Amino acid sequence: MRRDEEFSEFFTSRFDWARRTAYALCGDWSEAEELAQNAFVKAYAKWPSIRRETAEGYVRTIVTRLFLDSRRRGRERERPVADLPERGVGGGFSDPDAKLTAALQQVGPKQRAALVLRFVHDLSIEQTAAELGCSVGNVKSQTARGLATLREAYGEPVNSECGR
């Protein structure tokens, strides 16, 4: 029973964080919730072998890879057409961030993942490469291209300090 109690505590304290991370990646609250839930299901299955001090990183990696996998396969999410979609309650991005969030959705999935991991989660290039399963050079190029696309989509000068 201790396993369930530990995981329940971890889930309760980190689910909203995982959902916000997923939203930064996909830009849709419903999909973000689904990505976060699936990540926690996968984490629960491996919970006995996950070190508690790295559990957050483990879930973040799962969320990122689930997002990239859904985009890589070109799968579109099923969307009901008979009913209007419900609007989710905001979970981390306020109105001032709406323009930035919309611009971020113009960035390709792999570049977006690199930007979210580097600048939202403040991971190093090496940590980002490990989470994405690619080379350091790939992270650098994805980040540079992603920032260029983000700046263009945003339409206003973005602080050049954030790219360093």
Side-chain angles (χ1 to χ4, degrees):
M1 188 66 175
R2 182 71 184 137
R3 169 190 177 194
D4 289 345
E5 291 170 2
E6 279 184 345
F7 186 81
S8 178
E9 184 178 309
F10 175 69
F11 174 83
T12 302
S13 69
R14 304 312 296 155
F15 182 77
D16 194 50
W17 160 87
R19 187 174 64 103
R20 286 191 314 268
T21 295
Y23 179 77
L25 291 167
C26 70
D28 177 89
W29 285 112
S30 295
E31 184 179 0
E33 184 137 343
E34 187 175 314
L35 288 168
Q37 287 173 355
N38 288 337
F40 278 99
V41 166
K42 289 180 179 282
Y44 180 74
K46 297 282 186 178
W47 191 248
S49 62
I50 297 174
R51 292 188 325 219
R52 301 312 177 251
E53 62 271 9
T54 61
E56 186 175 298
Y58 186 81
V59 169
R60 182 181 53 235
T61 299
I62 295 170
V63 167
T64 303
R65 290 184 180 173
L66 286 170
F67 164 74
L68 289 173
D69 185 50
S70 71
R71 296 316 191 264
R72 218 176 274 130
R73 293 186 179 157
R75 289 183 288 179
E76 286 297 320
R77 291 184 29 83
E78 292 181 21
R79 302 226 184 249
V81 292
D83 299 321
L84 292 175
E86 291 182 28
R87 294 282 180 211
V89 177
F93 291 101
S94 60
D95 289 338
D97 294 327
K99 185 175 179 183
L100 180 59
T101 301
L104 188 58
Q105 297 310 304
Q106 301 301 308
V107 178
K110 185 89 175 199
Q111 294 170 1
R112 191 177 331 147
L115 293 176
V116 168
L117 292 172
R118 290 277 295 123
F119 302 115
V120 174
H121 289 288
D122 200 27
L123 298 183
S124 69
I125 293 170
E126 294 79 10
Q127 291 169 318
T128 302
E131 289 214 14
L132 293 176
C134 63
S135 70
V136 168
N138 188 287
V139 170
K140 288 179 181 180
S141 67
Q142 294 290 343
T143 301
R145 290 180 189 145
L147 283 172
T149 303
L150 182 62
R151 286 182 180 114
E152 185 177 318
Y154 194 74
E156 295 177 16
V158 176
N159 184 355
S160 62
E161 293 288 315
C162 77
R164 297 179 193 209

